[in-house]
């Protein structure tokens, strides 16, 4: 009924638990940051900077608080966004100018098409009357 757990299965279970704990730690850190941002309260410091996990005589430090500096990335994303907005406005302006130039020709073509369609329908009505 009960079987002995194989070493590879133990490794797989330990790896899964380690990944789960890492995801939980990162999630808690993100939630704390968001709550501090939403409530405009300063972040609370932990008493320890990291937790040390010991598995089979291996010491694995797990950082509790990870600090990142995204100012350079934010700068480049802001520049990219502004370039995108500028290009979009210039494309809109060029498309509007192009439409102003092409609009009379399109209106003339549509007017001609309507007139020819009307003439064709009139001719078809005459042919139908002749054959009745």
């Amino acid at each position: 009924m009960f079987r002995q757990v194989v070493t590879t299965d133990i490794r797989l279970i330990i790896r899964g638990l380690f990944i789960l704990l890492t995801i939980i730690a990162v999630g808690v850190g993100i939630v704390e940051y968001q709550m501090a941002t939403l409530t405009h309260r300063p972040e609370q410091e932990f008493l320890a900077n990291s937790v040390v996990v010991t598995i089979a005589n291996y010491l694995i430090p797990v950082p509790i608080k990870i600090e990142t500096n995204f100012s350079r990335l934010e700068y480049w994303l802001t520049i990219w966004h502004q370039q995108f907005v500028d290009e979009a406005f210039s494309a809109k302006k060029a498309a509007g100018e192009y439409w102003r130039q092409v609009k009379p020709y399109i209106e003339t073509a549509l007017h001609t098409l309507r007139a020819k369609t009307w003439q064709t329908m009139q001719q078809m009505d005459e042919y139908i009357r002749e054959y009745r």
Side-chain angles (χ1 to χ4, degrees):
M1 183 175 201
F2 294 108
R3 292 187 185 170
Q4 195 170 0
V5 182
V6 184
T7 308
T8 56
D9 291 340
I10 291 174
R11 288 182 186 158
L12 183 65
I13 291 169
I14 290 173
R15 187 180 305 146
L17 288 174
F18 182 70
I19 290 172
L20 178 66
L21 290 175
T22 304
I23 291 171
I24 289 171
V26 169
V28 167
I30 291 171
V31 168
E32 285 182 1
Y33 175 76
Q34 288 294 327
M35 288 301 292
T37 303
L38 289 173
T39 58
H40 299 291
R41 293 184 182 168
E43 294 182 45
Q44 297 182 4
E45 296 294 326
F46 292 106
L47 295 176
N49 288 335
S50 63
V51 173
V52 178
V53 178
T54 304
I55 299 176
N57 295 331
Y58 291 104
L59 298 175
I60 303 170
V62 179
I64 297 294
K65 183 177 180 183
I66 300 172
E67 293 186 19
T68 55
N69 185 4
F70 291 113
S71 62
R72 178 174 251 173
L73 177 65
E74 182 181 1
Y75 169 76
W76 286 110
L77 287 176
T78 303
I79 287 178
W80 175 78
H81 178 263
Q82 189 59 43
Q83 288 175 347
F84 178 76
V85 169
D86 293 342
E87 287 294 323
F89 279 125
S90 66
K92 179 181 176 184
K93 187 176 180 181
E97 193 63 37
Y98 178 72
W99 175 249
R100 278 189 223 100
Q101 293 173 359
V102 173
K103 186 177 179 181
Y105 298 112
I106 292 176
E107 287 177 347
T108 304
L110 285 176
H111 179 68
T112 305
L113 182 65
R114 284 187 192 119
K116 295 226 180 215
T117 304
W118 180 255
Q119 288 176 359
T120 305
M121 289 185 65
Q122 292 296 326
Q123 287 176 351
M124 288 180 72
D125 284 342
E126 289 177 18
Y127 290 143
I128 291 172
R129 283 188 203 129
E130 287 178 9
Y131 288 110
R132 284 189 181 179

